[in-house]
PDB file of all heavy atoms in Angstrom:
ATOM      1  N   MET A 148      -1.233  32.903  10.115  1.00 83.00           N
ATOM      2  CA  MET A 148      -1.704  32.493  11.436  1.00 83.00           C
ATOM      3  C   MET A 148      -0.512  32.399  12.405  1.00 83.00           C
ATOM      4  O   MET A 148       0.625  32.228  11.977  1.00 83.00           O
ATOM      5  CB  MET A 148      -2.394  31.119  11.316  1.00 83.00           C
ATOM      6  CG  MET A 148      -3.616  31.113  10.433  1.00 83.00           C
ATOM      7  SD  MET A 148      -4.290  29.454  10.185  1.00 83.00           S
ATOM      8  CE  MET A 148      -4.678  29.029  11.878  1.00 83.00           C
ATOM      9  N   ASN A 149      -0.807  32.485  13.680  1.00 76.00           N
ATOM     10  CA  ASN A 149       0.213  32.386  14.696  1.00 76.00           C
ATOM     11  C   ASN A 149       0.395  30.930  15.120  1.00 76.00           C
ATOM     12  O   ASN A 149      -0.049  30.491  16.187  1.00 76.00           O
ATOM     13  CB  ASN A 149      -0.159  33.255  15.907  1.00 76.00           C
ATOM     14  CG  ASN A 149       0.882  33.233  17.000  1.00 76.00           C
ATOM     15  OD1 ASN A 149       2.063  33.009  16.709  1.00 76.00           O
ATOM     16  ND2 ASN A 149       0.436  33.444  18.226  1.00 76.00           N
ATOM     17  N   ILE A 150       1.132  30.185  14.285  1.00 79.00           N
ATOM     18  CA  ILE A 150       1.340  28.773  14.608  1.00 79.00           C
ATOM     19  C   ILE A 150       2.801  28.430  14.794  1.00 79.00           C
ATOM     20  O   ILE A 150       3.190  27.272  14.865  1.00 79.00           O
ATOM     21  CB  ILE A 150       0.716  27.863  13.506  1.00 79.00           C
ATOM     22  CG1 ILE A 150       1.436  28.101  12.166  1.00 79.00           C
ATOM     23  CG2 ILE A 150      -0.788  28.065  13.414  1.00 79.00           C
ATOM     24  CD1 ILE A 150       1.021  27.105  11.125  1.00 79.00           C
ATOM     25  N   GLY A 151       3.651  29.430  14.850  1.00 74.00           N
ATOM     26  CA  GLY A 151       5.072  29.163  14.994  1.00 74.00           C
ATOM     27  C   GLY A 151       5.806  29.293  13.666  1.00 74.00           C
ATOM     28  O   GLY A 151       5.204  29.499  12.611  1.00 74.00           O
ATOM     29  N   LYS A 152       7.117  29.196  13.740  1.00 77.00           N
ATOM     30  CA  LYS A 152       7.959  29.393  12.600  1.00 77.00           C
ATOM     31  C   LYS A 152       8.050  28.125  11.738  1.00 77.00           C
ATOM     32  O   LYS A 152       8.469  27.066  12.228  1.00 77.00           O
ATOM     33  CB  LYS A 152       9.360  29.833  13.010  1.00 77.00           C
ATOM     34  CG  LYS A 152      10.278  30.163  11.853  1.00 77.00           C
ATOM     35  CD  LYS A 152      11.657  30.598  12.304  1.00 77.00           C
ATOM     36  CE  LYS A 152      12.550  30.947  11.138  1.00 77.00           C
ATOM     37  NZ  LYS A 152      13.911  31.319  11.574  1.00 77.00           N
ATOM     38  N   LEU A 153       7.629  28.248  10.478  1.00 81.00           N
ATOM     39  CA  LEU A 153       7.750  27.157   9.528  1.00 81.00           C
ATOM     40  C   LEU A 153       8.462  27.635   8.284  1.00 81.00           C
ATOM     41  O   LEU A 153       8.180  28.728   7.802  1.00 81.00           O
ATOM     42  CB  LEU A 153       6.367  26.588   9.166  1.00 81.00           C
ATOM     43  CG  LEU A 153       5.565  25.900  10.296  1.00 81.00           C
ATOM     44  CD1 LEU A 153       4.202  25.502   9.781  1.00 81.00           C
ATOM     45  CD2 LEU A 153       6.319  24.696  10.853  1.00 81.00           C
ATOM     46  N   GLU A 338       2.716  14.676  25.486  1.00 69.00           N
ATOM     47  CA  GLU A 338       3.839  15.563  25.138  1.00 69.00           C
ATOM     48  C   GLU A 338       3.493  16.461  23.949  1.00 69.00           C
ATOM     49  O   GLU A 338       3.808  17.658  23.953  1.00 69.00           O
ATOM     50  CB  GLU A 338       5.095  14.733  24.846  1.00 69.00           C
ATOM     51  CG  GLU A 338       6.289  15.593  24.429  1.00 69.00           C
ATOM     52  CD  GLU A 338       7.468  14.744  23.976  1.00 69.00           C
ATOM     53  OE1 GLU A 338       7.878  13.865  24.740  1.00 69.00           O
ATOM     54  OE2 GLU A 338       7.992  14.983  22.865  1.00 69.00           O
ATOM     55  N   LYS A 339       2.838  15.864  22.951  1.00 71.00           N
ATOM     56  CA  LYS A 339       2.525  16.659  21.751  1.00 71.00           C
ATOM     57  C   LYS A 339       1.396  17.686  22.057  1.00 71.00           C
ATOM     58  O   LYS A 339       1.429  18.799  21.561  1.00 71.00           O
ATOM     59  CB  LYS A 339       2.083  15.693  20.642  1.00 71.00           C
ATOM     60  CG  LYS A 339       3.128  14.655  20.308  1.00 71.00           C
ATOM     61  CD  LYS A 339       2.612  13.699  19.262  1.00 71.00           C
ATOM     62  CE  LYS A 339       3.606  12.573  18.979  1.00 71.00           C
ATOM     63  NZ  LYS A 339       3.808  11.713  20.140  1.00 71.00           N
ATOM     64  N   TRP A 340       0.413  17.243  22.839  1.00 74.00           N
ATOM     65  CA  TRP A 340      -0.707  18.124  23.095  1.00 74.00           C
ATOM     66  C   TRP A 340      -0.358  19.223  24.107  1.00 74.00           C
ATOM     67  O   TRP A 340      -1.078  20.207  24.187  1.00 74.00           O
ATOM     68  CB  TRP A 340      -1.908  17.280  23.585  1.00 74.00           C
ATOM     69  CG  TRP A 340      -2.482  16.417  22.516  1.00 74.00           C
ATOM     70  CD1 TRP A 340      -2.268  15.093  22.380  1.00 74.00           C
ATOM     71  CD2 TRP A 340      -3.327  16.788  21.455  1.00 74.00           C
ATOM     72  NE1 TRP A 340      -2.926  14.596  21.296  1.00 74.00           N
ATOM     73  CE2 TRP A 340      -3.586  15.628  20.700  1.00 74.00           C
ATOM     74  CE3 TRP A 340      -3.889  18.004  21.051  1.00 74.00           C
ATOM     75  CZ2 TRP A 340      -4.397  15.647  19.565  1.00 74.00           C
ATOM     76  CZ3 TRP A 340      -4.705  17.997  19.940  1.00 74.00           C
ATOM     77  CH2 TRP A 340      -4.961  16.841  19.200  1.00 74.00           C
ATOM     78  N   ARG A 341       0.686  19.047  24.896  1.00 72.00           N
ATOM     79  CA  ARG A 341       1.048  20.049  25.881  1.00 72.00           C
ATOM     80  C   ARG A 341       1.389  21.358  25.246  1.00 72.00           C
ATOM     81  O   ARG A 341       1.113  22.450  25.772  1.00 72.00           O
ATOM     82  CB  ARG A 341       2.216  19.547  26.720  1.00 72.00           C
ATOM     83  CG  ARG A 341       2.577  20.452  27.886  1.00 72.00           C
ATOM     84  CD  ARG A 341       3.720  19.893  28.730  1.00 72.00           C
ATOM     85  NE  ARG A 341       4.944  19.871  27.983  1.00 72.00           N
ATOM     86  CZ  ARG A 341       5.582  18.745  27.601  1.00 72.00           C
ATOM     87  NH1 ARG A 341       5.080  17.596  27.888  1.00 72.00           N
ATOM     88  NH2 ARG A 341       6.739  18.814  26.936  1.00 72.00           N
ATOM     89  N   PHE A 342       2.020  21.300  24.048  1.00 69.00           N
ATOM     90  CA  PHE A 342       2.440  22.514  23.365  1.00 69.00           C
ATOM     91  C   PHE A 342       1.272  23.335  22.833  1.00 69.00           C
ATOM     92  O   PHE A 342       1.387  24.522  22.586  1.00 69.00           O
ATOM     93  CB  PHE A 342       3.379  22.159  22.217  1.00 69.00           C
ATOM     94  CG  PHE A 342       4.737  21.764  22.640  1.00 69.00           C
ATOM     95  CD1 PHE A 342       5.047  20.445  22.917  1.00 69.00           C
ATOM     96  CD2 PHE A 342       5.743  22.690  22.834  1.00 69.00           C
ATOM     97  CE1 PHE A 342       6.286  20.054  23.316  1.00 69.00           C
ATOM     98  CE2 PHE A 342       7.022  22.304  23.248  1.00 69.00           C
ATOM     99  CZ  PHE A 342       7.299  20.981  23.502  1.00 69.00           C
ATOM    100  N   VAL A 343       0.122  22.684  22.608  1.00 70.00           N
ATOM    101  CA  VAL A 343      -1.012  23.388  22.038  1.00 70.00           C
ATOM    102  C   VAL A 343      -2.173  23.525  23.009  1.00 70.00           C
ATOM    103  O   VAL A 343      -3.242  23.956  22.669  1.00 70.00           O
ATOM    104  CB  VAL A 343      -1.530  22.659  20.752  1.00 70.00           C
ATOM    105  CG1 VAL A 343      -0.450  22.637  19.687  1.00 70.00           C
ATOM    106  CG2 VAL A 343      -1.945  21.229  21.097  1.00 70.00           C
ATOM    107  N   SER A 344      -1.919  23.110  24.281  1.00 68.00           N
ATOM    108  CA  SER A 344      -3.002  23.151  25.272  1.00 68.00           C
ATOM    109  C   SER A 344      -3.414  24.569  25.594  1.00 68.00           C
ATOM    110  O   SER A 344      -4.580  24.852  25.980  1.00 68.00           O
ATOM    111  CB  SER A 344      -2.524  22.456  26.554  1.00 68.00           C
ATOM    112  OG  SER A 344      -1.382  23.076  27.081  1.00 68.00           O
ATOM    113  N   ASP A 345      -2.489  25.552  25.422  1.00 68.00           N
ATOM    114  CA  ASP A 345      -2.834  26.931  25.748  1.00 68.00           C
ATOM    115  C   ASP A 345      -3.660  27.590  24.640  1.00 68.00           C
ATOM    116  O   ASP A 345      -4.261  28.629  24.849  1.00 68.00           O
ATOM    117  CB  ASP A 345      -1.565  27.756  25.986  1.00 68.00           C
ATOM    118  CG  ASP A 345      -0.641  27.731  24.756  1.00 68.00           C
ATOM    119  OD1 ASP A 345      -0.728  26.746  24.001  1.00 68.00           O
ATOM    120  OD2 ASP A 345       0.158  28.691  24.641  1.00 68.00           O
ATOM    121  N   SER A 346      -3.701  26.994  23.480  1.00 68.00           N
ATOM    122  CA  SER A 346      -4.480  27.542  22.353  1.00 68.00           C
ATOM    123  C   SER A 346      -5.119  26.432  21.556  1.00 68.00           C
ATOM    124  O   SER A 346      -4.756  26.192  20.386  1.00 68.00           O
ATOM    125  CB  SER A 346      -3.581  28.404  21.446  1.00 68.00           C
ATOM    126  OG  SER A 346      -2.467  27.642  21.021  1.00 68.00           O
ATOM    127  N   PRO A 347      -6.057  25.671  22.137  1.00 69.00           N
ATOM    128  CA  PRO A 347      -6.675  24.537  21.424  1.00 69.00           C
ATOM    129  C   PRO A 347      -7.444  24.997  20.196  1.00 69.00           C
ATOM    130  O   PRO A 347      -7.605  24.230  19.232  1.00 69.00           O
ATOM    131  CB  PRO A 347      -7.633  23.940  22.477  1.00 69.00           C
ATOM    132  CG  PRO A 347      -7.882  25.062  23.433  1.00 69.00           C
ATOM    133  CD  PRO A 347      -6.620  25.854  23.469  1.00 69.00           C
ATOM    134  N   GLY A 348      -7.945  26.238  20.210  1.00 74.00           N
ATOM    135  CA  GLY A 348      -8.700  26.723  19.037  1.00 74.00           C
ATOM    136  C   GLY A 348      -7.855  26.760  17.791  1.00 74.00           C
ATOM    137  O   GLY A 348      -8.342  26.460  16.697  1.00 74.00           O
ATOM    138  N   ILE A 349      -6.571  27.111  17.928  1.00 81.00           N
ATOM    139  CA  ILE A 349      -5.676  27.162  16.764  1.00 81.00           C
ATOM    140  C   ILE A 349      -5.493  25.768  16.204  1.00 81.00           C
ATOM    141  O   ILE A 349      -5.471  25.553  14.978  1.00 81.00           O
ATOM    142  CB  ILE A 349      -4.339  27.786  17.142  1.00 81.00           C
ATOM    143  CG1 ILE A 349      -4.519  29.275  17.441  1.00 81.00           C
ATOM    144  CG2 ILE A 349      -3.318  27.598  16.020  1.00 81.00           C
ATOM    145  CD1 ILE A 349      -3.255  29.993  17.778  1.00 81.00           C
ATOM    146  N   SER A 350      -5.316  24.786  17.086  1.00 79.00           N
ATOM    147  CA  SER A 350      -5.129  23.402  16.633  1.00 79.00           C
ATOM    148  C   SER A 350      -6.351  22.902  15.852  1.00 79.00           C
ATOM    149  O   SER A 350      -6.211  22.283  14.777  1.00 79.00           O
ATOM    150  CB  SER A 350      -4.854  22.474  17.821  1.00 79.00           C
ATOM    151  OG  SER A 350      -4.665  21.160  17.401  1.00 79.00           O
ATOM    152  N   VAL A 353      -6.391  24.733  12.463  1.00 90.00           N
ATOM    153  CA  VAL A 353      -5.410  24.193  11.518  1.00 90.00           C
ATOM    154  C   VAL A 353      -5.881  22.822  10.974  1.00 90.00           C
ATOM    155  O   VAL A 353      -5.775  22.573   9.774  1.00 90.00           O
ATOM    156  CB  VAL A 353      -4.033  24.040  12.219  1.00 90.00           C
ATOM    157  CG1 VAL A 353      -3.067  23.264  11.329  1.00 90.00           C
ATOM    158  CG2 VAL A 353      -3.448  25.414  12.533  1.00 90.00           C
ATOM    159  N   PHE A 414       8.574  16.694  11.489  1.00 83.00           N
ATOM    160  CA  PHE A 414       8.331  17.648  12.569  1.00 83.00           C
ATOM    161  C   PHE A 414       8.741  17.126  13.955  1.00 83.00           C
ATOM    162  O   PHE A 414       8.431  17.787  14.965  1.00 83.00           O
ATOM    163  CB  PHE A 414       6.847  18.009  12.601  1.00 83.00           C
ATOM    164  CG  PHE A 414       6.383  18.722  11.374  1.00 83.00           C
ATOM    165  CD1 PHE A 414       5.526  18.090  10.483  1.00 83.00           C
ATOM    166  CD2 PHE A 414       6.822  19.997  11.069  1.00 83.00           C
ATOM    167  CE1 PHE A 414       5.085  18.738   9.341  1.00 83.00           C
ATOM    168  CE2 PHE A 414       6.420  20.651   9.930  1.00 83.00           C
ATOM    169  CZ  PHE A 414       5.542  20.023   9.045  1.00 83.00           C
ATOM    170  N   THR A 420       8.779  16.149  20.207  1.00 65.00           N
ATOM    171  CA  THR A 420       8.402  17.410  19.578  1.00 65.00           C
ATOM    172  C   THR A 420       8.870  18.545  20.510  1.00 65.00           C
ATOM    173  O   THR A 420       8.514  18.570  21.679  1.00 65.00           O
ATOM    174  CB  THR A 420       6.911  17.494  19.370  1.00 65.00           C
ATOM    175  OG1 THR A 420       6.499  16.352  18.676  1.00 65.00           O
ATOM    176  CG2 THR A 420       6.563  18.733  18.564  1.00 65.00           C
ATOM    177  N   GLN A 421       9.669  19.490  19.969  1.00 68.00           N
ATOM    178  CA  GLN A 421      10.214  20.545  20.801  1.00 68.00           C
ATOM    179  C   GLN A 421       9.673  21.928  20.461  1.00 68.00           C
ATOM    180  O   GLN A 421       9.689  22.809  21.320  1.00 68.00           O
ATOM    181  CB  GLN A 421      11.772  20.546  20.662  1.00 68.00           C
ATOM    182  CG  GLN A 421      12.394  19.215  20.997  1.00 68.00           C
ATOM    183  CD  GLN A 421      12.212  18.801  22.446  1.00 68.00           C
ATOM    184  OE1 GLN A 421      12.000  19.647  23.298  1.00 68.00           O
ATOM    185  NE2 GLN A 421      12.280  17.512  22.702  1.00 68.00           N
ATOM    186  N   LEU A 422       9.246  22.161  19.256  1.00 76.00           N
ATOM    187  CA  LEU A 422       8.818  23.482  18.817  1.00 76.00           C
ATOM    188  C   LEU A 422       7.298  23.541  18.721  1.00 76.00           C
ATOM    189  O   LEU A 422       6.641  22.573  18.358  1.00 76.00           O
ATOM    190  CB  LEU A 422       9.435  23.864  17.475  1.00 76.00           C
ATOM    191  CG  LEU A 422      10.980  23.840  17.423  1.00 76.00           C
ATOM    192  CD1 LEU A 422      11.459  24.122  16.023  1.00 76.00           C
ATOM    193  CD2 LEU A 422      11.529  24.868  18.427  1.00 76.00           C
ATOM    194  N   ARG A 423       6.772  24.725  19.035  1.00 76.00           N
ATOM    195  CA  ARG A 423       5.307  24.880  19.040  1.00 76.00           C
ATOM    196  C   ARG A 423       4.716  24.642  17.648  1.00 76.00           C
ATOM    197  O   ARG A 423       3.688  23.956  17.489  1.00 76.00           O
ATOM    198  CB  ARG A 423       4.925  26.271  19.525  1.00 76.00           C
ATOM    199  CG  ARG A 423       3.424  26.531  19.602  1.00 76.00           C
ATOM    200  CD  ARG A 423       3.120  27.866  20.295  1.00 76.00           C
ATOM    201  NE  ARG A 423       1.705  28.094  20.372  1.00 76.00           N
ATOM    202  CZ  ARG A 423       0.997  28.679  19.409  1.00 76.00           C
ATOM    203  NH1 ARG A 423       1.605  29.116  18.318  1.00 76.00           N
ATOM    204  NH2 ARG A 423      -0.293  28.864  19.547  1.00 76.00           N
ATOM    205  N   GLY A 424       5.304  25.225  16.619  1.00 79.00           N
ATOM    206  CA  GLY A 424       4.800  25.041  15.258  1.00 79.00           C
ATOM    207  C   GLY A 424       4.805  23.578  14.824  1.00 79.00           C
ATOM    208  O   GLY A 424       3.857  23.080  14.226  1.00 79.00           O
ATOM    209  N   ASN A 425       5.893  22.872  15.204  1.00 82.00           N
ATOM    210  CA  ASN A 425       5.962  21.452  14.863  1.00 82.00           C
ATOM    211  C   ASN A 425       4.942  20.645  15.644  1.00 82.00           C
ATOM    212  O   ASN A 425       4.320  19.733  15.077  1.00 82.00           O
ATOM    213  CB  ASN A 425       7.373  20.928  15.172  1.00 82.00           C
ATOM    214  CG  ASN A 425       8.426  21.469  14.245  1.00 82.00           C
ATOM    215  OD1 ASN A 425       8.115  22.217  13.314  1.00 82.00           O
ATOM    216  ND2 ASN A 425       9.678  21.115  14.463  1.00 82.00           N
ATOM    217  N   ALA A 426       4.736  20.993  16.881  1.00 81.00           N
ATOM    218  CA  ALA A 426       3.750  20.288  17.723  1.00 81.00           C
ATOM    219  C   ALA A 426       2.332  20.493  17.142  1.00 81.00           C
ATOM    220  O   ALA A 426       1.514  19.556  17.107  1.00 81.00           O
ATOM    221  CB  ALA A 426       3.795  20.800  19.154  1.00 81.00           C
ATOM    222  N   ILE A 427       2.024  21.701  16.702  1.00 85.00           N
ATOM    223  CA  ILE A 427       0.718  21.940  16.102  1.00 85.00           C
ATOM    224  C   ILE A 427       0.533  21.116  14.837  1.00 85.00           C
ATOM    225  O   ILE A 427      -0.573  20.542  14.623  1.00 85.00           O
ATOM    226  CB  ILE A 427       0.576  23.440  15.770  1.00 85.00           C
ATOM    227  CG1 ILE A 427       0.412  24.247  17.092  1.00 85.00           C
ATOM    228  CG2 ILE A 427      -0.655  23.697  14.886  1.00 85.00           C
ATOM    229  CD1 ILE A 427       0.308  25.742  16.880  1.00 85.00           C
ATOM    230  N   MET A 428       1.576  20.995  14.007  1.00 87.00           N
ATOM    231  CA  MET A 428       1.431  20.175  12.799  1.00 87.00           C
ATOM    232  C   MET A 428       1.271  18.699  13.127  1.00 87.00           C
ATOM    233  O   MET A 428       0.508  17.985  12.453  1.00 87.00           O
ATOM    234  CB  MET A 428       2.644  20.381  11.883  1.00 87.00           C
ATOM    235  CG  MET A 428       2.775  21.801  11.331  1.00 87.00           C
ATOM    236  SD  MET A 428       1.231  22.481  10.685  1.00 87.00           S
ATOM    237  CE  MET A 428       0.758  21.234   9.480  1.00 87.00           C
ATOM    238  N   ILE A 429       1.992  18.219  14.168  1.00 85.00           N
ATOM    239  CA  ILE A 429       1.841  16.806  14.561  1.00 85.00           C
ATOM    240  C   ILE A 429       0.443  16.520  15.084  1.00 85.00           C
ATOM    241  O   ILE A 429      -0.235  15.561  14.662  1.00 85.00           O
ATOM    242  CB  ILE A 429       2.876  16.441  15.637  1.00 85.00           C
ATOM    243  CG1 ILE A 429       4.308  16.390  15.010  1.00 85.00           C
ATOM    244  CG2 ILE A 429       2.551  15.105  16.261  1.00 85.00           C
ATOM    245  CD1 ILE A 429       4.500  15.275  14.043  1.00 85.00           C
ATOM    246  N   THR A 430      -0.059  17.358  15.988  1.00 85.00           N
ATOM    247  CA  THR A 430      -1.388  17.140  16.549  1.00 85.00           C
ATOM    248  C   THR A 430      -2.461  17.301  15.485  1.00 85.00           C
ATOM    249  O   THR A 430      -3.476  16.589  15.493  1.00 85.00           O
ATOM    250  CB  THR A 430      -1.645  18.129  17.679  1.00 85.00           C
ATOM    251  OG1 THR A 430      -1.436  19.467  17.264  1.00 85.00           O
ATOM    252  CG2 THR A 430      -0.751  17.808  18.898  1.00 85.00           C
ATOM    253  N   SER A 431      -2.274  18.228  14.535  1.00 88.00           N
ATOM    254  CA  SER A 431      -3.216  18.393  13.441  1.00 88.00           C
ATOM    255  C   SER A 431      -3.218  17.192  12.542  1.00 88.00           C
ATOM    256  O   SER A 431      -4.276  16.766  12.056  1.00 88.00           O
ATOM    257  CB  SER A 431      -2.885  19.663  12.654  1.00 88.00           C
ATOM    258  OG  SER A 431      -2.950  20.828  13.465  1.00 88.00           O
TER     259      SER A 431
END
Side-chain angles (χ1 to χ4, degrees):
M148 299 174 61
N149 182 27
I150 63 172
K152 184 179 180 182
L153 295 177
E338 178 187 307
K339 304 176 184 65
W340 292 101
R341 186 177 67 247
F342 286 90
V343 297
S344 59
D345 59 335
S346 54
I349 291 182
S350 180
V353 170
F414 298 110
T420 307
Q421 304 297 335
L422 302 176
R423 181 172 181 272
N425 290 357
I427 289 177
M428 294 314 305
I429 289 292
T430 54
S431 298

